[in-house]
DNA sequence: TTAGGGTTAG
């Protein structure tokens, strides 16, 4: 890209930068304060040219302001080869331009260019290592080969006398951590204890977290002579990564209580933990911290809030946060689209997706998971087919197992079971048995006993340790009232040593989380809970509710089946909700498994008879029950 | 110049 100067400007008095700092300041004044885009840097370049300042002294500062390229430069593409042209026209007597070229170019160019760079300094190793770490951290192959690359750079640094530099050592420590080479990382760390700062400690901490060694990370965290907000957020992120969500939130609370400045990463990870738990009070606590600390609701925090509110049952609040965001990235859109889908608001999700496309944004594989899931939940067959085609043909997104999962579910639920089977059989990748499980589930809802039995037996043969297959097959038999067969399946299941995983329900009340199991007598208020449940049952019976026992798999008499159903964890949670929540406020429950057919009927009836709203998050979706109806339209 | 984070079907 050439910047010709008009003659009138060429005669204008020229600004002479006495020092590099002046040049840096002037270029800085032409750019946004943070994270400029290539386009913005080019605009600043044009203005410099107009001022007659597009010189070797100024250009390196433009290079320094450029974002990293994600693809190797193409010479015919002005914006991607722009860093190279800036570099060529820069002052080659300093390492500054070389270092920023290393930062901007994607792997493997920095590694290739490094030996031939006209000027280098100890910092150059840091830039090179950061480029390698970024590449590996973005999910590209790591392991012994990459670690070897690190030792190669390490050797070069030793030869250049830069290996003692704190920044270089930190970058090396981080690099080994990214490769997963914990031993090499630890050697770097242990070698020169005198050359350490908080970044060194944080690099090791993150190495342990990456290697899923959260215990080692915690031990190191306790041992650290200095900590900053990055140390805290790394530990919180580590616990979230390992699924220790309650510990993650406890560490976040400690961070707040100790008065450590809460940063964006800590908030985002704590929100993610609350979202995964589905516990609204915890999520609200994190949101309150954001407000109290007067933190800016950035794009990342906004997206995390949308996700949290959606996953904690407040899809309307999620939408409010989403609509109020001044800038939204694809993460925010994805969270909102997936959130609407999970709440059974398929048409809203599809509408939002259309708006997303109309705004000219590029959908990712996850956007399509969300929109296909929305179609499947709301029975939008034609739309689902159209988006699946669009995904492949227009957006070049390779269908992954998740997308097939949505499509198989979409077709199966709509009764197009044979088409679903055809789709699986025509797949280019080996189908996950889970897809057959989805078909099996469709056989159950559609009452296709023969096909279901065939697929169920095949699945049990394929994965004998998977309890879900036995459960589904048994419930297909149960629905057809074939109790002998139900007994057979259960016998087979227990002889193979598998058993239905225990279901539980959670309820938040007064800052505590209450967990219930089926027939649970552990709760301190058990007597009251069972009394309340008895009262609810009597009122429902008066209103004409008759239990449907077909979802109970035990080979016991009808009366006992009724009893087993009566004490499902969800009902205990509802009864407890009647005791501890205010009259008129909704009862929110989080379950690990899918809600059973009869509990679903029971809960709907409760909302009608007692005029209470019940919101259940089960293993995969939300049920908003009100006035005897559910947002899932009994379609789940 | 180095360290930390969010969205995913059944």
């Amino acid at each position: 890209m050439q910047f010709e100067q008009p003659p009138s400007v060429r005669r204008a008095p020229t600004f002479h930068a006495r020092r590099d700092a002046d040049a840096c300041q002037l270029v800085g004044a032409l750019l946004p304060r943070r994270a400029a885009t290539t386009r913005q840097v080019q605009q600043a370049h044009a203005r410099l040219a107009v001022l007659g300042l597009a010189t070797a002294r100024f250009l390196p500062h433009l290079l320094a302001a450029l974002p990293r390229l994600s693809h190797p430069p193409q010479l015919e593409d002005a914006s991607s080869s722009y860093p190279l042209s800036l570099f060529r026209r820069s002052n080659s007597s300093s390492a500054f331009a070389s270092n920023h070229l290393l930062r901007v170019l994607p792997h493997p160019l920095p590694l290739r260019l490094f030996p031939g760079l006209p000027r280098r300094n100890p910092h150059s190793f840091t830039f090179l290592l950061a480029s390698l770490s970024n590449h590996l951290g973005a999910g590209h192959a790591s392991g012994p080969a990459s670690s070897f690359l690190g030792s190669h750079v390490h050797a070069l640094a030793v030869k250049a006398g830069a290996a003692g530099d704190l920044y270089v050592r930190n970058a090396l420590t981080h690099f080994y951590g990214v490769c997963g080479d914990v031993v090499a990382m630890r050697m770097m760390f242990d070698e020169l204890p005198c050359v350490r700062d908080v970044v060194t400690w944080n690099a090791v901490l993150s190495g342990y977290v990456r290697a899923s060694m959260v215990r080692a990370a915690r031990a190191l965290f306790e041992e650290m002579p200095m900590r900053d907000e990055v140390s805290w957020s790394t530990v919180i992120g580590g616990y979230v990564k390992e699924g220790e969500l309650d510990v993650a939130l406890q560490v976040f609370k400690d961070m707040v209580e100790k008065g450590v400045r809460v940063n964006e990463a800590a908030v985002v990870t704590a929100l993610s933990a609350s979202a995964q738990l589905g516990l609204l009070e915890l999520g609200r606590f994190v949101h309150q911290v954001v407000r109290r600390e007067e933190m800016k609701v950035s794009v990342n925090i906004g997206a995390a809030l949308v996700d949290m509110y959606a996953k904690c049952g407040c899809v309307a609040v999620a939408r409010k946060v989403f609509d109020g965001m001044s800038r939204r990235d694809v993460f925010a859109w994805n969270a909102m689209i997936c959130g609407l889908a999970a709440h059974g608001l398929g048409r809203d999700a599809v509408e939002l997706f259309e708006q997303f496309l109309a705004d000219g944004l590029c959908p990712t594989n996850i956007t399509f998971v969300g929109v296909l899931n929305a179609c499947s939940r709301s029975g939008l067959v034609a739309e689902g087919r159209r988006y699946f085609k669009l995904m492949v043909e227009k957006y070049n997104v390779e269908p992954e197992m998740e997308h097939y999962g949505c499509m198989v579910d979409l077709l199966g639920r709509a009764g197009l079971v044979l088409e679903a089977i055809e789709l699986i059989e025509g797949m280019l990748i080996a189908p996950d048995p889970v897809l057959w499980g989805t078909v099996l589930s469709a056989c159950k809802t559609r009452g296709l006993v023969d096909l279901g039995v065939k697929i169920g037996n095949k699945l049990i043969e394929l994965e004998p340790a998977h309890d879900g297959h036995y459960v589904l097959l048994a419930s297909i038999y149960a629905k057809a009232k074939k109790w002998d067969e139900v007994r057979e399946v259960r016998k087979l299941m227990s002889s193979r040593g598998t058993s239905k995983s225990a279901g539980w329900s959670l309820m938040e009340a007064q800052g505590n989380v209450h967990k219930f199991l089926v027939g649970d007598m552990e709760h301190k208020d058990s007597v009251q809970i069972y009394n309340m449940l008895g009262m609810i049952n009597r009122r429902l019976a008066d209103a004409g509710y008759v239990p449907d026992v077909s979802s109970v798999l035990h080979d016991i008499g009808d009366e006992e089946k009724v009893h087993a159903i009566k004490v499902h964890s969800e009902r205990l949670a509802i009864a407890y909700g009647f005791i501890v929540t205010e009259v008129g406020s909704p009862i929110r429950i989080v379950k690990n498994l899918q809600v059973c057919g009869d509990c679903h009927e029971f809960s709907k009836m409760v909302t009608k008879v007692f005029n209470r709203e019940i919101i259940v998050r089960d293993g995969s979706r939300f049920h908003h029950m009100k006035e005897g109806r559910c947002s899932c339209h009994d379609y789940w």
Side-chain angles (χ1 to χ4, degrees), chain A residues 443-464:
Chain A
C443 290
K444 180 192 151 192
T445 34
R446 290 278 154 185
L448 303 172
V449 181
D450 293 342
L451 188 60
V453 168
K454 218 169 105 191
I455 295 173
N457 283 319
K458 189 90 195 143
L459 271 171
I460 288 173
E461 198 185 304
L462 213 63
E463 297 182 311

Side-chain angles (χ1 to χ4, degrees), chain A residues 36 71 93 99 142 151 240 294 300 306 368 413 423 429 447 455 468 483 493 604 615:
Chain A
H71 299 290
S93 70
N99 290 349
S142 61
S151 44
V240 173
E294 295 179 338
N300 295 338
V306 168
F368 280 106
R413 279 172 198 283
L423 182 68
I429 46 177
I455 295 173
W483 300 113
M493 185 168 161
K604 282 197 306 185
I615 300 162

Side-chain angles (χ1 to χ4, degrees), chain A residues 374-497:
Chain A
C375 294
S376 138
R377 296 277 165 82
S378 301
L380 306 171
V381 180
E383 287 85 344
R385 283 198 185 116
R386 189 158 64 80
Y387 289 138
F388 190 73
K389 212 167 154 227
L390 188 80
M391 171 176 93
V392 180
E393 290 174 4
K394 184 162 177 198
Y395 292 99
N396 293 321
V397 174
E398 276 298 309
E400 292 166 42
M401 210 55 80
E402 287 86 347
H403 304 112
Y404 283 114
C406 294
M407 286 309 288
V408 168
D409 194 42
L410 172 79
L411 297 168
R413 279 172 198 283
L416 304 164
V417 178
L418 294 180
E419 196 180 330
I421 292 175
E422 269 171 33
L423 182 68
I424 298 179
E425 287 176 339
M427 275 169 62
L428 297 173
I429 46 177
D432 189 318
V434 176
L435 292 182
W436 288 110
T438 308
V439 178
L440 185 57
S441 168
C443 290
K444 180 192 151 192
T445 34
R446 290 278 154 185
L448 303 172
V449 181
D450 293 342
L451 188 60
V453 168
K454 218 169 105 191
I455 295 173
N457 283 319
K458 189 90 195 143
L459 271 171
I460 288 173
E461 198 185 304
L462 213 63
E463 297 182 311
H466 194 299
D467 56 5
H469 304 328
Y470 298 88
V471 174
L472 261 178
L473 182 57
S475 54
I476 284 176
Y477 280 130
K479 218 173 159 183
K481 303 214 180 327
K482 297 190 168 185
W483 300 113
D484 289 341
E485 285 85 349
V486 172
R487 227 182 321 259
E488 281 299 308
V489 176
R490 280 205 69 86
K491 231 162 69 189
L492 195 64
M493 185 168 161
S494 42
S495 74
R496 299 253 170 99

Side-chain angles (χ1 to χ4, degrees), chain A residues 263-537:
Chain A
N263 60 358
E264 202 191 32
V267 165
V268 166
T269 38
L271 284 172
S272 166
S274 321
Q276 288 178 56
L277 284 167
L279 299 174
L280 183 61
E281 286 182 22
L282 287 174
R284 276 187 182 144
F285 164 76
V286 183
H287 194 178
Q288 263 163 21
V289 172
V290 172
R291 290 205 191 97
R292 202 176 58 212
E293 303 290 316
E294 295 179 338
M295 293 175 78
K296 186 176 162 278
V297 177
S298 61
V299 192
N300 295 338
I301 293 183
L305 280 171
V306 168
D307 183 49
M308 183 277 286
Y309 279 115
K311 290 208 175 105
C312 290
C314 301
V315 70
V317 182
R319 187 61 195 256
K320 217 171 137 189
V321 174
F322 179 81
D323 288 340
M325 287 171 73
S326 53
R327 218 165 62 78
R328 306 180 191 112
D329 66 358
V330 73
F331 280 85
W333 285 90
N334 288 350
M336 195 66 247
I337 291 170
C338 294
L340 290 168
H343 285 272
L345 300 167
R347 292 206 179 271
D348 293 349
V350 166
E351 215 171 87
L352 197 67
F353 177 67
E354 289 293 344
Q355 197 186 322
F356 173 91
L357 295 182
D359 282 5
L361 293 153
C362 189
T364 66
N365 53 349
I366 291 164
T367 321
F368 280 106
V369 171
V371 73
L372 291 176
N373 186 26
C375 294
S376 138
R377 296 277 165 82
S378 301
L380 306 171
V381 180
E383 287 85 344
R385 283 198 185 116
R386 189 158 64 80
Y387 289 138
F388 190 73
K389 212 167 154 227
L390 188 80
M391 171 176 93
V392 180
E393 290 174 4
K394 184 162 177 198
Y395 292 99
N396 293 321
V397 174
E398 276 298 309
E400 292 166 42
M401 210 55 80
E402 287 86 347
H403 304 112
Y404 283 114
C406 294
M407 286 309 288
V408 168
D409 194 42
L410 172 79
L411 297 168
R413 279 172 198 283
L416 304 164
V417 178
L418 294 180
E419 196 180 330
I421 292 175
E422 269 171 33
L423 182 68
I424 298 179
E425 287 176 339
M427 275 169 62
L428 297 173
I429 46 177
D432 189 318
V434 176
L435 292 182
W436 288 110
T438 308
V439 178
L440 185 57
S441 168
C443 290
K444 180 192 151 192
T445 34
R446 290 278 154 185
L448 303 172
V449 181
D450 293 342
L451 188 60
V453 168
K454 218 169 105 191
I455 295 173
N457 283 319
K458 189 90 195 143
L459 271 171
I460 288 173
E461 198 185 304
L462 213 63
E463 297 182 311
H466 194 299
D467 56 5
H469 304 328
Y470 298 88
V471 174
L472 261 178
L473 182 57
S475 54
I476 284 176
Y477 280 130
K479 218 173 159 183
K481 303 214 180 327
K482 297 190 168 185
W483 300 113
D484 289 341
E485 285 85 349
V486 172
R487 227 182 321 259
E488 281 299 308
V489 176
R490 280 205 69 86
K491 231 162 69 189
L492 195 64
M493 185 168 161
S494 42
S495 74
R496 299 253 170 99
T498 72
S499 62
K500 195 171 182 293
S501 49
W504 47 253
S505 297
L506 299 183
M507 237 219 52
E508 262 180 321
Q510 288 117 22
N512 288 315
V513 180
H514 303 265
K515 187 172 184 172
F516 298 95
L517 304 174
V518 58
D520 200 346
M521 297 292 286
E522 296 297 309
H523 199 278
K524 66 175 174 49
D525 299 326
S526 274
V527 176
Q528 265 180 290
I529 291 170
Y530 281 90
N531 284 340
M532 180 60 82
L533 193 54
M535 184 278 287
I536 295 173
N537 281 328

Side-chain angles (χ1 to χ4, degrees), chain A residues 510 525 527-530 532-533 574-582 587 612:
Chain A
Q510 288 117 22
D525 299 326
V527 176
Q528 265 180 290
I529 291 170
Y530 281 90
M532 180 60 82
L533 193 54
I574 289 174
Y576 190 59
F578 268 79
I579 299 170
V580 290
T581 59
E582 275 176 44
I587 296 173
R612 277 295 274 270

Side-chain angles (χ1 to χ4, degrees), chain A residues 87-101:
Chain A
F87 179 70
R88 276 196 295 270
R89 293 153 68 190
S90 288
N91 186 351
S92 61
S93 70
S94 86
F96 185 84
S98 303
N99 290 349
H100 281 285
L101 187 69

